């Protein structure tokens, strides 16, 4: 059955495609024509012979005996027909025919409701027809894109007192054209290439073509690099722990790569026409309100990706350049630029630049620039640069740049650099931090606290522990065992928290609190009912940058569902100092003061 569907599909394509492509090519065929005082019907016959097609028309509607004088060299059939009929005739393509009809609009004395502008967008220097140029009117938001032959057609309302056509093309100087007429007009537009390029050096500025955009203009910020005493090609010094210098070339490469990824990601939600407009149009348009069903179906039409809205309501998904006050979407909100104010989405918010305000979505919030305010979701928050404020998620928070605030998550928190605030979650990660992360597992790569520890005490012959976090608060994972020694546990496994304080000259003090499960020789795998709670103090002395010795007392409490599990007469290893009643075979809880000593391997800070 699938094979039959595929055969039917391709047969349909084969039947339809050639005529469609052929029809598209008839008016764009380029010919050389030179006639002098030749009747119109003979002129049309000559054009058809040169182009390999025929004309279809009614002699009653067109004066075929009128005389034509025209000279055209390598021009399209459309341009020649426009020169002959001058908007008095319309023409349509059907397979190998061009159908000519009288333009009835020209006979109507009353002003039409709408009128069409059409023509070609041309490179003024080379004469090349320019495809994918943007043509729009900034007040009515009507827009068009030139096709592969450079041809465009845009419909405008005749009721507007003033209209101005804006033409933009990437790498070309934009043009603004007033439209005095309110009737169908063939308008050919030429653009000059933008030959200006940023001058290599310390200062790079760029000012786009500025035109009226709903009575607003947007100035592009200027970037200036401050000279320093670093090497000549150095741009600035990295603020991370590594302190690596970043050159101008490195900065340009990173900036272009970031902007390219940013634009591709956000433009993935746009239609093909919207994507072309966002590449071509640097002007920013403004509206007070927009409503949309889909990114390409709304009140802002094809220009939605170039418009900043004060208020935006999206039934399914919306797409815009920016939001200045409020945006609500039942599924998805996509914004190319900045958001200020409140943004709510049933599924997700995607913002290509900065957010200032309140952002909430049930599934995901993704901001590729800086964020200042509150960002909340049930699943994932992502900020591509720096974050200031509160970030709350059910599963995870990610800040690629600096964190100046708080991350709360039941799952994980990630921030490259924590400047202020705290990370609070089950798992926390940061490259460097100036504050304390709180969680079940915290890892700080550059300036964190990590210890790999091996020790002995009165309860276990051998203990190993891993400590990670920061010195003021770290997580402890420990494991102890005594082999098959009598009156000793088989092994213990535990978890805890601790803090360390530097005392100077390589000395530091630790305070650790841990809880461990204890497996005894006679325990079944599903009947581990005893545990050990320990509070330990220790003194550490560093020898070099990666090695230290430590020792100190501990306060221990052993508890069990059964009595008589500890033999106080066992004299192997260090002897405890019992607190309260000495174990007599009837107690289920025992306390003592013990002692531990060992070695530690340190991370290099």
């Amino acid at each position: 059955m699938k094979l039959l569907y595929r055969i039917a599909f391709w047969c349909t394509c084969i039947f339809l495609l050639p005529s469609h492509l052929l029809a598209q090519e008839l008016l764009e065929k380029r010919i050389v024509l030179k006639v002098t005082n030749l009747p119109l019907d003979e002129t049309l016959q000559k054009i058809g012979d040169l182009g390999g097609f025929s004309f279809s028309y009614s002699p009653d509607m067109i004066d075929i005996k009128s005389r034509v004088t025209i000279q055209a060299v390598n021009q399209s059939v459309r341009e020649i027909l426009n020169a002959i009929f001058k908007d008095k005739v319309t023409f349509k393509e059907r397979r190998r025919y061009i159908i000519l009809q009288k333009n009835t609009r020209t006979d109507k004395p009353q002003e039409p409701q709408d009128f069409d502008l059409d023509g070609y967008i041309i490179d003024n220097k080379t004469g090349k027809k320019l495809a994918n140029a943007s043509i729009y009117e900034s007040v009515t938001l009507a827009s068009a894109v030139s096709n592969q032959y450079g041809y465009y057609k845009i419909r405008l309302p005749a009721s507007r007192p003033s209209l101005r056509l804006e033409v933009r093309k990437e790498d070309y100087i934009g043009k603004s054209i007033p439209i005095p007429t309110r009737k169908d007009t063939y308008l050919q537009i030429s653009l000059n290439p933008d030959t200006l390029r940023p001058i290599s050096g310390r200062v790079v500025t760029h000012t786009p073509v500025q035109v009226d955009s709903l009575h607003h203009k947007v100035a592009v910020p200027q970037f200036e690099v401050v000279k320093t005493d670093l090497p000549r090609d150095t741009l600035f010094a990295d603020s991370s722990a590594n302190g690596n210098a970043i050159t101008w070339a490195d900065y340009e490469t990173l900036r272009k790569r970031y902007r390219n990824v940013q634009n591709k990601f956000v433009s993935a939600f746009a239609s093909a026409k919207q994507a072309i407009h966002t590449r071509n149009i640097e002007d920013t348009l403004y509206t007070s309100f927009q409503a949309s069903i889909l990114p390409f179906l709304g009140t802002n039409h094809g220009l939605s990706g170039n418009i900043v809205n004060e208020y935006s309501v999206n039934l399914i998904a919306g797409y815009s350049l920016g939001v200045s006050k409020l945006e609500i979407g039942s599924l998805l909100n996509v914004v190319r630029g900045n958001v200020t104010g409140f943004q709510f989405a049933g599924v997700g918010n995607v913002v290509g630049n900065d957010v200032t305000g309140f952002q909430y979505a049930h599934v995901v919030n993704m901001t590729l620039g800086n964020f200042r305010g509150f960002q909340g979701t049930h699943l994932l928050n992502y900020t591509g640069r720096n974050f200031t404020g509160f970030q709350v998620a059910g599963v995870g928070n990610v800040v690629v740049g600096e964190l100046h605030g708080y991350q709360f998550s039941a799952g994980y928190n990630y921030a490259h650099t924590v400047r202020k605030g705290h990370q609070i979650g089950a798992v926390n990660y940061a490259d460097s931090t100036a504050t304390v992360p709180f969680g079940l597992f915290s890892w700080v790569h550059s300036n964190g606290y990590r210890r790999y520890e091996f020790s002995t005490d009165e309860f276990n012959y051998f203990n190993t522990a891993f400590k990670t976090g920061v010195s003021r608060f770290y997580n402890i994972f420990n494991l102890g065992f005594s082999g098959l020694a009598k009156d000793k546990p088989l092994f213990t496994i535990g978890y805890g928290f601790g803090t360390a304080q530097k005392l100077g000259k390589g000395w530091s003090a630790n305070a650790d609190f841990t809880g461990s499960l204890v497996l005894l020789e006679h325990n079944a795998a599903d009947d581990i009912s005893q545990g050990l709670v320990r509070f330990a103090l220790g003194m550490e002395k560093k020898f070099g940058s990666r090695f230290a010795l430590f020792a100190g007392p501990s306060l221990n409490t052993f508890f069990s569902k059964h009595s008589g599990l500890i033999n106080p007469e066992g004299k192997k290893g260090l002897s405890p100092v019992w607190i309260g009643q000495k174990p007599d075979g009837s107690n289920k809880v025992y306390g003592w003061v013990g002692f531990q000593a060992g070695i530690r391997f340190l991370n290099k800070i």
Side-chain angles (χ1 to χ4, degrees):
M1 185 62 71
K2 290 183 179 179
L3 180 61
L4 292 176
Y5 284 144
R6 290 180 181 178
I7 293 174
F9 172 79
W10 287 113
C11 288
T12 303
C13 292
I14 292 172
F15 177 76
L16 294 176
L17 189 58
S19 63
H20 172 72
L21 291 178
L22 181 61
Q24 289 294 319
E25 293 177 353
L26 295 183
L27 287 170
E28 305 303 334
K29 285 182 176 289
R30 294 177 177 273
I31 61 175
V32 176
L33 177 67
K34 183 178 181 181
V35 297
T36 303
N37 201 29
L38 191 68
L40 176 60
D41 56 349
E42 295 182 26
T43 303
L44 295 177
Q45 180 65 43
K46 189 170 184 179
I47 294 173
D49 293 340
L50 292 172
F53 56 85
S54 300
F55 286 97
S56 175
Y57 55 89
S58 172
D60 296 333
M61 299 183 66
I62 299 175
D63 185 7
I64 60 176
K65 294 305 178 182
S66 60
R67 297 285 175 167
V68 176
T69 299
I70 188 171
Q71 182 174 350
V73 179
N74 197 30
Q75 290 188 359
S76 68
V77 173
R78 187 194 303 275
E79 292 174 292
I80 295 172
L81 294 178
N82 275 313
I84 294 174
F85 293 110
K86 302 184 184 304
D87 298 324
K88 296 179 180 179
V89 172
T90 64
F91 23 90
K92 297 181 180 179
E93 303 166 336
R94 290 292 184 273
R95 296 187 178 275
R96 302 196 65 82
Y97 290 89
I98 293 181
I99 303 172
L100 304 181
Q101 294 179 323
K102 190 174 183 180
N103 189 352
T104 57
R105 291 190 179 187
T106 58
D107 295 336
K108 296 181 180 180
Q110 68 273 19
E111 193 74 18
Q113 292 184 349
D114 302 302
F115 67 98
D116 294 329
L117 295 178
D118 72 322
Y120 289 89
I121 309 297
I122 300 175
D123 186 310
N124 194 38
K125 289 191 174 181
T126 65
K128 177 184 176 182
K129 306 292 177 61
L130 299 178
N132 295 329
S134 294
I135 305 95
Y136 70 96
E137 206 286 318
S138 64
V139 177
T140 63
L141 301 183
S143 66
V145 173
S146 61
N147 65 14
Q148 58 182 323
Y149 305 106
Y151 176 75
Y152 76 92
K153 186 174 185 179
I154 184 171
R155 174 158 291 190
L156 299 172
S159 59
R160 298 292 304 182
S162 63
L163 292 172
R164 182 174 289 271
L165 200 65
E166 308 292 343
V167 186
R168 302 289 184 271
K169 169 67 177 172
E170 192 175 24
D171 298 328
Y172 283 81
I173 300 174
K175 182 171 285 189
S176 182
I177 305 170
I179 307 299
T181 183
R182 294 297 182 270
K183 63 179 182 178
D184 294 349
T185 304
Y186 178 81
L187 180 62
Q188 187 165 285
I189 302 171
S190 60
L191 297 179
N192 291 313
D194 186 359
T195 57
L196 298 178
R197 293 291 182 268
I199 301 174
S200 299
R202 296 295 178 177
V203 180
V204 177
T205 62
H206 177 62
T207 304
V209 177
Q210 297 290 343
V211 299
D212 289 337
S213 301
L214 299 189
H215 314 295
H216 290 277
K217 297 181 181 180
V218 174
V220 174
Q222 297 183 354
F223 298 93
E224 182 173 356
V225 180
V226 181
K227 295 182 179 180
T228 68
D229 294 330
L230 295 170
R232 190 179 65 85
D233 63 342
T234 297
L235 177 62
F236 57 86
D238 188 2
S239 61
S240 67
N242 295 329
N244 295 328
I246 299 178
T247 66
W248 175 266
D250 293 335
Y251 170 74
E252 282 292 296
T253 301
L254 291 173
R255 185 178 67 86
K256 289 179 180 179
R257 185 179 302 168
Y258 173 78
R259 296 302 301 178
N260 186 46
V261 172
Q262 182 186 49
N263 291 333
K264 283 186 177 180
F265 180 81
V266 178
S267 296
F269 298 93
S271 66
K273 182 179 179 180
Q274 288 171 323
I276 293 172
H277 284 329
T278 57
R279 289 198 305 269
N280 291 334
I281 301 174
E282 293 182 338
D283 310 287
T284 300
L285 311 178
Y286 290 83
T287 63
S288 58
F289 175 82
Q290 82 87 29
S292 66
I293 300 175
L294 291 169
F296 49 85
L297 186 59
T299 57
N300 287 342
H301 311 294
L303 290 173
S304 60
N306 300 90
I307 297 176
V308 175
N309 309 292
E310 288 188 7
Y311 300 93
S312 177
V313 178
N314 306 307
L315 182 60
I316 298 176
Y319 181 71
S320 65
L321 174 60
V323 175
S324 61
K325 291 184 179 178
L326 172 67
E327 182 172 47
I328 300 175
S330 61
L331 290 182
L332 186 65
N333 297 318
V334 180
V335 178
R336 289 180 53 227
N338 302 323
V339 171
T340 301
F342 293 82
Q343 188 179 46
F344 304 88
V347 175
N349 294 305
V350 179
V351 180
N353 205 19
D354 300 338
V355 173
T356 301
F358 184 98
Q359 185 183 65
Y360 178 83
H362 283 296
V363 179
V364 62
N365 290 310
M366 183 166 291
T367 299
L368 301 184
N370 299 311
F371 195 106
R372 180 180 292 272
F374 176 88
Q375 188 179 48
T377 181
H378 293 158
L379 187 65
L380 177 66
N381 288 316
Y382 176 92
T383 298
R385 300 184 71 182
N386 302 326
F387 186 94
T388 302
F390 292 86
Q391 197 176 41
V392 181
V395 175
N397 294 305
V398 175
V399 174
V400 178
E402 295 183 355
L403 173 65
H404 299 259
Y406 293 84
Q407 288 181 318
F408 300 92
S409 173
Y412 67 90
N413 295 308
Y414 170 89
H416 183 271
T417 305
V418 181
R419 299 293 186 188
K420 296 180 181 179
H422 298 280
Q423 292 177 304
I424 304 172
V427 177
N428 302 302
Y429 179 91
D431 182 75
S432 62
T433 182
T435 65
V436 178
F438 298 99
L440 299 178
F441 179 86
S442 297
W443 182 283
V444 180
H445 180 71
S446 297
N447 65 335
Y449 180 91
R450 285 186 292 282
R451 297 292 187 269
Y452 304 89
E453 181 178 298
F454 301 94
S455 65
T456 186
D457 59 41
E458 75 287 343
F459 198 68
N460 285 305
Y461 285 140
F462 179 80
N463 296 287
T464 181
F466 173 62
K467 300 177 180 180
T468 177
V470 295
S471 59
R472 285 178 285 174
F473 183 82
Y474 51 80
N475 312 116
I476 305 171
F477 301 86
N478 61 42
L479 178 67
F481 54 92
S482 300
L484 297 176
K486 189 177 180 181
D487 299 320
K488 292 288 185 180
L490 290 179
F491 73 84
T492 61
I493 183 170
Y495 174 82
F497 306 96
T499 183
Q501 178 64 48
K502 291 184 178 180
L503 303 177
K505 297 183 178 181
W507 288 92
S508 61
N510 295 82
D512 299 340
F513 182 83
T514 58
S516 303
L517 291 176
V518 180
L519 178 65
L520 301 177
E521 185 176 359
H522 64 275
N523 282 135
D526 58 349
D527 186 28
I528 302 177
S529 59
Q530 55 278 338
L532 176 68
V533 176
R534 167 174 288 177
F535 176 73
L537 296 174
M539 293 295 294
E540 175 186 287
K541 172 59 178 175
K542 292 177 65 175
F543 296 92
S545 61
R546 307 299 292 269
F547 178 76
L549 297 177
F550 76 96
S554 63
L555 181 63
N556 304 269
T557 300
F558 178 86
F559 56 90
S560 174
K561 185 169 65 174
H562 307 287
S563 61
L565 297 182
I566 288 184
N567 180 11
E569 303 301 328
K571 298 298 183 181
K572 297 179 179 179
L574 298 173
S575 298
V577 178
W578 299 104
I579 299 175
Q581 186 179 359
K582 187 176 181 180
D584 58 4
S586 62
N587 295 338
K588 297 180 181 180
V589 179
Y590 315 94
W592 70 90
V593 176
F595 187 82
Q596 61 177 350
I599 61 175
R600 288 172 179 163
F601 296 95
L602 323 176
N603 64 309
K604 187 175 182 181
I605 300 178

mmCIF file of all heavy atoms in Angstrom, residues 60-62 86-90 101-112 183-184:
data_model
loop_
_atom_site.group_PDB
_atom_site.id
_atom_site.type_symbol
_atom_site.label_atom_id
_atom_site.label_comp_id
_atom_site.label_asym_id
_atom_site.label_seq_id
_atom_site.Cartn_x
_atom_site.Cartn_y
_atom_site.Cartn_z
ATOM 1 N N ASP A 60 -11.327 42.106 -29.710
ATOM 2 C CA ASP A 60 -12.292 43.145 -29.355
ATOM 3 C C ASP A 60 -11.851 43.948 -28.140
ATOM 4 O O ASP A 60 -12.311 45.079 -27.946
ATOM 5 C CB ASP A 60 -13.668 42.506 -29.073
ATOM 6 C CG ASP A 60 -14.250 41.828 -30.310
ATOM 7 O OD1 ASP A 60 -13.899 42.258 -31.434
ATOM 8 O OD2 ASP A 60 -15.026 40.863 -30.145
ATOM 9 N N MET A 61 -11.020 43.354 -27.346
ATOM 10 C CA MET A 61 -10.599 44.018 -26.106
ATOM 11 C C MET A 61 -9.267 44.741 -26.250
ATOM 12 O O MET A 61 -8.941 45.613 -25.461
ATOM 13 C CB MET A 61 -10.495 42.995 -24.960
ATOM 14 C CG MET A 61 -11.826 42.301 -24.660
ATOM 15 S SD MET A 61 -11.712 41.183 -23.256
ATOM 16 C CE MET A 61 -11.410 42.343 -21.945
ATOM 17 N N ILE A 62 -8.479 44.364 -27.251
ATOM 18 C CA ILE A 62 -7.156 44.951 -27.441
ATOM 19 C C ILE A 62 -7.051 45.463 -28.874
ATOM 20 O O ILE A 62 -7.421 44.761 -29.829
ATOM 21 C CB ILE A 62 -6.045 43.920 -27.163
ATOM 22 C CG1 ILE A 62 -6.141 43.447 -25.707
ATOM 23 C CG2 ILE A 62 -4.670 44.497 -27.452
ATOM 24 C CD1 ILE A 62 -5.176 42.342 -25.382
ATOM 25 N N LYS A 86 1.762 49.456 -20.952
ATOM 26 C CA LYS A 86 1.764 50.512 -19.922
ATOM 27 C C LYS A 86 0.560 50.390 -18.975
ATOM 28 O O LYS A 86 -0.258 51.302 -18.857
ATOM 29 C CB LYS A 86 1.797 51.891 -20.552
ATOM 30 C CG LYS A 86 3.006 52.114 -21.463
ATOM 31 C CD LYS A 86 3.061 53.520 -21.981
ATOM 32 C CE LYS A 86 4.214 53.692 -22.962
ATOM 33 N NZ LYS A 86 5.519 53.325 -22.388
ATOM 34 N N ASP A 87 0.439 49.228 -18.341
ATOM 35 C CA ASP A 87 -0.573 48.953 -17.312
ATOM 36 C C ASP A 87 -2.004 48.901 -17.846
ATOM 37 O O ASP A 87 -2.954 48.839 -17.069
ATOM 38 C CB ASP A 87 -0.513 49.986 -16.170
ATOM 39 C CG ASP A 87 0.816 49.962 -15.448
ATOM 40 O OD1 ASP A 87 1.380 48.865 -15.298
ATOM 41 O OD2 ASP A 87 1.279 51.039 -15.027
ATOM 42 N N LYS A 88 -2.205 48.951 -19.176
ATOM 43 C CA LYS A 88 -3.564 48.865 -19.732
ATOM 44 C C LYS A 88 -4.007 47.423 -19.927
ATOM 45 O O LYS A 88 -5.183 47.157 -20.160
ATOM 46 C CB LYS A 88 -3.631 49.613 -21.068
ATOM 47 C CG LYS A 88 -3.386 51.108 -20.940
ATOM 48 C CD LYS A 88 -3.447 51.783 -22.298
ATOM 49 C CE LYS A 88 -3.195 53.297 -22.159
ATOM 50 N NZ LYS A 88 -3.240 53.962 -23.488
ATOM 51 N N VAL A 89 -3.051 46.498 -19.842
ATOM 52 C CA VAL A 89 -3.338 45.078 -20.083
ATOM 53 C C VAL A 89 -2.677 44.266 -18.973
ATOM 54 O O VAL A 89 -1.557 44.574 -18.544
ATOM 55 C CB VAL A 89 -2.803 44.621 -21.457
ATOM 56 C CG1 VAL A 89 -2.927 43.108 -21.629
ATOM 57 C CG2 VAL A 89 -3.551 45.340 -22.572
ATOM 58 N N THR A 90 -3.391 43.260 -18.523
ATOM 59 C CA THR A 90 -2.812 42.294 -17.584
ATOM 60 C C THR A 90 -2.488 41.019 -18.336
ATOM 61 O O THR A 90 -3.102 40.725 -19.371
ATOM 62 C CB THR A 90 -3.780 41.985 -16.436
ATOM 63 O OG1 THR A 90 -4.949 41.356 -16.952
ATOM 64 C CG2 THR A 90 -4.156 43.247 -15.694
ATOM 65 N N GLN A 101 -5.395 40.261 -21.094
ATOM 66 C CA GLN A 101 -6.718 40.760 -20.780
ATOM 67 C C GLN A 101 -6.648 42.249 -20.502
ATOM 68 O O GLN A 101 -5.634 42.752 -19.995
ATOM 69 C CB GLN A 101 -7.302 40.037 -19.559
ATOM 70 C CG GLN A 101 -7.571 38.559 -19.794
ATOM 71 C CD GLN A 101 -8.129 37.878 -18.560
ATOM 72 O OE1 GLN A 101 -7.717 38.195 -17.452
ATOM 73 N NE2 GLN A 101 -9.049 36.935 -18.763
ATOM 74 N N LYS A 102 -7.750 42.917 -20.815
ATOM 75 C CA LYS A 102 -7.796 44.359 -20.581
ATOM 76 C C LYS A 102 -7.856 44.625 -19.083
ATOM 77 O O LYS A 102 -8.579 43.948 -18.357
ATOM 78 C CB LYS A 102 -9.012 44.956 -21.275
ATOM 79 C CG LYS A 102 -8.998 46.484 -21.289
ATOM 80 C CD LYS A 102 -10.150 47.010 -22.122
ATOM 81 C CE LYS A 102 -10.098 48.527 -22.190
ATOM 82 N NZ LYS A 102 -11.211 49.074 -23.010
ATOM 83 N N ASN A 103 -7.087 45.594 -18.619
ATOM 84 C CA ASN A 103 -7.078 45.956 -17.208
ATOM 85 C C ASN A 103 -8.326 46.791 -16.928
ATOM 86 O O ASN A 103 -8.395 47.976 -17.256
ATOM 87 C CB ASN A 103 -5.815 46.746 -16.868
ATOM 88 C CG ASN A 103 -5.654 46.957 -15.369
ATOM 89 O OD1 ASN A 103 -6.556 46.650 -14.598
ATOM 90 N ND2 ASN A 103 -4.524 47.493 -14.978
ATOM 91 N N THR A 104 -9.341 46.128 -16.346
ATOM 92 C CA THR A 104 -10.627 46.798 -16.125
ATOM 93 C C THR A 104 -10.545 47.886 -15.063
ATOM 94 O O THR A 104 -11.397 48.767 -15.004
ATOM 95 C CB THR A 104 -11.686 45.766 -15.702
ATOM 96 O OG1 THR A 104 -11.225 45.076 -14.535
ATOM 97 C CG2 THR A 104 -11.918 44.765 -16.829
ATOM 98 N N ARG A 105 -9.523 47.833 -14.217
ATOM 99 C CA ARG A 105 -9.420 48.849 -13.166
ATOM 100 C C ARG A 105 -9.198 50.242 -13.741
ATOM 101 O O ARG A 105 -9.585 51.240 -13.158
ATOM 102 C CB ARG A 105 -8.289 48.519 -12.195
ATOM 103 C CG ARG A 105 -8.560 47.296 -11.341
ATOM 104 C CD ARG A 105 -7.510 47.190 -10.268
ATOM 105 N NE ARG A 105 -7.739 46.039 -9.396
ATOM 106 C CZ ARG A 105 -7.058 45.791 -8.303
ATOM 107 N NH1 ARG A 105 -6.087 46.608 -7.936
ATOM 108 N NH2 ARG A 105 -7.320 44.737 -7.562
ATOM 109 N N THR A 106 -8.539 50.308 -14.888
ATOM 110 C CA THR A 106 -8.245 51.609 -15.484
ATOM 111 C C THR A 106 -9.499 52.294 -16.015
ATOM 112 O O THR A 106 -9.489 53.494 -16.240
ATOM 113 C CB THR A 106 -7.222 51.456 -16.617
ATOM 114 O OG1 THR A 106 -7.767 50.544 -17.597
ATOM 115 C CG2 THR A 106 -5.922 50.890 -16.086
ATOM 116 N N ASP A 107 -10.589 51.516 -16.232
ATOM 117 C CA ASP A 107 -11.824 52.105 -16.753
ATOM 118 C C ASP A 107 -12.713 52.649 -15.657
ATOM 119 O O ASP A 107 -13.688 53.332 -15.922
ATOM 120 C CB ASP A 107 -12.602 51.046 -17.549
ATOM 121 C CG ASP A 107 -11.824 50.607 -18.786
ATOM 122 O OD1 ASP A 107 -10.983 51.382 -19.245
ATOM 123 O OD2 ASP A 107 -12.067 49.478 -19.253
ATOM 124 N N LYS A 108 -12.432 52.288 -14.417
ATOM 125 C CA LYS A 108 -13.290 52.706 -13.321
ATOM 126 C C LYS A 108 -12.891 54.102 -12.858
ATOM 127 O O LYS A 108 -11.743 54.330 -12.488
ATOM 128 C CB LYS A 108 -13.186 51.724 -12.162
ATOM 129 C CG LYS A 108 -13.691 50.331 -12.525
ATOM 130 C CD LYS A 108 -13.574 49.403 -11.329
ATOM 131 C CE LYS A 108 -14.068 48.003 -11.693
ATOM 132 N NZ LYS A 108 -13.962 47.059 -10.550
ATOM 133 N N PRO A 109 -13.841 55.026 -12.839
ATOM 134 C CA PRO A 109 -13.490 56.382 -12.403
ATOM 135 C C PRO A 109 -13.254 56.453 -10.906
ATOM 136 O O PRO A 109 -12.495 57.282 -10.443
ATOM 137 C CB PRO A 109 -14.718 57.207 -12.813
ATOM 138 C CG PRO A 109 -15.854 56.211 -12.842
ATOM 139 C CD PRO A 109 -15.244 54.916 -13.277
ATOM 140 N N GLN A 110 -13.952 55.583 -10.122
ATOM 141 C CA GLN A 110 -13.781 55.650 -8.675
ATOM 142 C C GLN A 110 -12.440 55.040 -8.269
ATOM 143 O O GLN A 110 -11.899 54.203 -8.952
ATOM 144 C CB GLN A 110 -14.938 54.928 -7.951
ATOM 145 C CG GLN A 110 -14.966 53.421 -8.148
ATOM 146 C CD GLN A 110 -15.722 53.028 -9.399
ATOM 147 O OE1 GLN A 110 -15.916 53.862 -10.291
ATOM 148 N NE2 GLN A 110 -16.151 51.770 -9.474
ATOM 149 N N GLU A 111 -11.993 55.476 -7.134
ATOM 150 C CA GLU A 111 -10.712 55.014 -6.601
ATOM 151 C C GLU A 111 -10.871 53.572 -6.124
ATOM 152 O O GLU A 111 -11.785 53.256 -5.358
ATOM 153 C CB GLU A 111 -10.283 55.906 -5.442
ATOM 154 C CG GLU A 111 -8.847 55.711 -5.023
ATOM 155 C CD GLU A 111 -7.865 56.313 -5.991
ATOM 156 O OE1 GLU A 111 -8.267 57.159 -6.803
ATOM 157 O OE2 GLU A 111 -6.684 55.930 -5.941
ATOM 158 N N PRO A 112 -9.982 52.645 -6.528
ATOM 159 C CA PRO A 112 -10.087 51.255 -6.066
ATOM 160 C C PRO A 112 -9.699 51.146 -4.600
ATOM 161 O O PRO A 112 -9.013 52.010 -4.047
ATOM 162 C CB PRO A 112 -9.093 50.512 -6.965
ATOM 163 C CG PRO A 112 -8.092 51.554 -7.347
ATOM 164 C CD PRO A 112 -8.871 52.841 -7.446
ATOM 165 N N LYS A 183 -2.985 53.576 -8.187
ATOM 166 C CA LYS A 183 -3.446 52.639 -9.200
ATOM 167 C C LYS A 183 -2.326 51.658 -9.516
ATOM 168 O O LYS A 183 -1.166 51.880 -9.170
ATOM 169 C CB LYS A 183 -3.877 53.386 -10.462
ATOM 170 C CG LYS A 183 -2.758 54.142 -11.151
ATOM 171 C CD LYS A 183 -3.250 54.839 -12.398
ATOM 172 C CE LYS A 183 -2.117 55.568 -13.122
ATOM 173 N NZ LYS A 183 -2.592 56.217 -14.363
ATOM 174 N N ASP A 184 -2.702 50.571 -10.161
ATOM 175 C CA ASP A 184 -1.722 49.535 -10.506
ATOM 176 C C ASP A 184 -0.587 50.161 -11.310
ATOM 177 O O ASP A 184 -0.815 50.852 -12.302
ATOM 178 C CB ASP A 184 -2.370 48.418 -11.318
ATOM 179 C CG ASP A 184 -3.396 47.642 -10.508
ATOM 180 O OD1 ASP A 184 -3.443 47.850 -9.284
ATOM 181 O OD2 ASP A 184 -4.143 46.840 -11.086
#
